[in-house]
Amino acid sequence: MRKGILLAASAYIIWGLFPVYFKSLHGVPALEILLHRMLWSLVFLVTVLAVRKQWSWLSNLLSQPKLIAGFAASALLLSVNWLIYIWAINNDRVVDASLGYFMTPLVNVLLGFVLLRERLRIGQWIAVALAACGVIWLTVQAGHPPVIGLSLAISFGIYGLLRKTAALGALEGLSLETFILFPFAFAYLSYLTLQGHNAFLSGTTSTQSLLLAAGPITAIPLLMFAAGARRIPMATLGLLQYIAPSIQLVLGVYLYHEPFSGDRLIGFIAIWTALVVYSVEGLRHTFKRQPA
């Protein structure tokens, strides 16, 4: 269990530090960073599959069109989530991005209620209501909804819902998603190359190295997370997931000096309170179900 906590926590720490990586590619358009992330992730994942000789899952894919369609949908949602996140980081909206991942667990609960007809316990209803109050407050004080945070939470929440019901594991699933995305990424990068706008070819050695690193930076924490998740209870995993947005928030406020007024803090406090209620209620429910 100790090893599982270490692996999962390390994955969340890496995800929390993503703003530092994407900020270093500030001169590259968000869409192009996304395309390179798709391309080099596939190269890295294919290498991992080759080393592990883990190809058997591919043989049955053509006979499972519903599986491919499901992963096509999850690949689209993943690319939308990545694009919004990269754009937010490189447009000085790290705090907004962190809000999205603070809200994701509560969006997951709401999606389970709406789409899967799951019954919510009273504590979960209270958590969702508190989060809604926080979002309403942020909307009123800003004059518009927290679009970035809501977009990230909803897109990742639906993505997680699709992956929850998928028949492939983390490595195979991400590999299939990048296989599906690869033709589009390659085609658009080829177009940019013809136009002379491919940052990988025209950029500095530092930019090229950072773009190449997108593959392992994307895949390694996901594989660490998958390995850790198998070793620890879901309640523990649920608490660890707040590491990433907490690091992002600290980076946004203290390293990148993004505005974080008292009025905005009130909205965040409402959402943090909702997460505390959600986590405590989840832990109590878990312990109640365990045999004496």
Side-chain angles (χ1 to χ4, degrees):
M1 183 170 172
R2 185 182 301 173
K3 184 177 181 181
I5 292 174
L6 180 62
L7 285 167
S10 298
Y12 281 119
I13 290 170
I14 293 171
W15 285 328
L17 293 172
F18 266 12
V20 177
Y21 169 71
F22 289 118
K23 282 282 189 182
S24 64
L25 287 167
H26 186 75
V28 183
L31 178 58
E32 190 171 349
I33 296 175
L34 172 66
L35 298 173
H36 281 286
R37 194 175 184 184
M38 295 174 183
L39 175 65
W40 301 117
S41 293
L42 179 60
V43 172
F44 180 82
L45 289 166
V46 167
T47 303
V48 173
L49 289 169
V51 170
R52 299 179 63 171
K53 298 180 180 179
Q54 200 166 329
W55 302 108
S56 59
W57 59 278
L58 286 170
S59 59
N60 298 322
L61 279 181
L62 294 179
S63 62
Q64 301 181 71
K66 287 185 179 180
L67 179 69
I68 295 175
F71 273 94
S74 65
L76 177 61
L77 282 165
L78 184 62
S79 60
V80 168
N81 182 271
W82 282 355
L83 181 60
I84 295 170
Y85 181 77
I86 295 168
W87 182 91
I89 298 305
N90 285 347
N91 283 273
D92 303 321
R93 308 294 288 273
V94 178
V95 172
D96 289 335
S98 74
L99 175 64
Y101 293 110
F102 277 124
M103 291 193 297
T104 297
L106 302 170
V107 168
N108 289 339
V109 170
L110 202 55
L111 286 172
F113 172 73
V114 174
L115 300 179
L116 300 180
R117 300 291 187 265
E118 294 178 352
R119 296 180 61 184
L120 301 190
R121 300 183 295 275
I122 184 65
Q124 292 175 316
W125 276 119
I126 293 172
V128 170
L130 285 169
C133 290
V135 171
I136 292 170
W137 174 260
L138 290 170
T139 300
V140 170
Q141 67 89 22
H144 57 80
V147 177
I148 293 173
L150 287 172
S151 299
L152 287 171
I154 292 170
S155 61
F156 198 73
I158 299 175
Y159 171 76
L161 188 64
L162 290 175
R163 287 302 304 269
K164 179 181 178 181
T165 57
L168 295 179
L171 174 59
E172 296 89 343
L174 183 61
S175 299
L176 179 55
E177 287 167 345
T178 51
F179 272 124
I180 292 169
L181 294 170
F182 173 76
F184 304 99
F186 184 77
Y188 197 79
L189 284 173
S190 298
Y191 169 76
L192 291 177
T193 301
L194 292 173
Q195 299 296 313
H197 298 308
N198 189 328
F200 183 80
L201 297 179
S202 60
T204 63
T205 302
S206 174
T207 298
Q208 292 173 340
S209 299
L210 287 168
L211 289 172
L212 279 171
I217 283 175
T218 297
I220 288 175
L222 182 69
L223 298 176
M224 292 172 68
F225 170 79
R230 289 195 296 268
R231 292 175 167 87
I232 59 178
M234 285 301 295
T236 305
L237 193 65
L239 294 175
L240 292 175
Q241 69 184 315
Y242 304 131
I243 293 174
S246 298
I247 293 174
Q248 292 169 15
L249 178 63
V250 170
L251 289 174
V253 174
Y254 293 105
L255 181 61
Y256 301 120
H257 307 292
E258 294 185 10
F260 194 63
S261 65
D263 287 341
R264 200 174 192 194
L265 177 61
I266 292 172
F268 270 76
I269 288 174
I271 291 168
W272 291 333
T273 304
L275 291 173
V276 171
V277 172
Y278 167 76
S279 300
V280 171
E281 195 279 339
L283 287 171
R284 288 182 60 188
H285 182 70
T286 299
F287 289 135
K288 279 183 179 180
R289 293 179 62 185
Q290 289 180 350

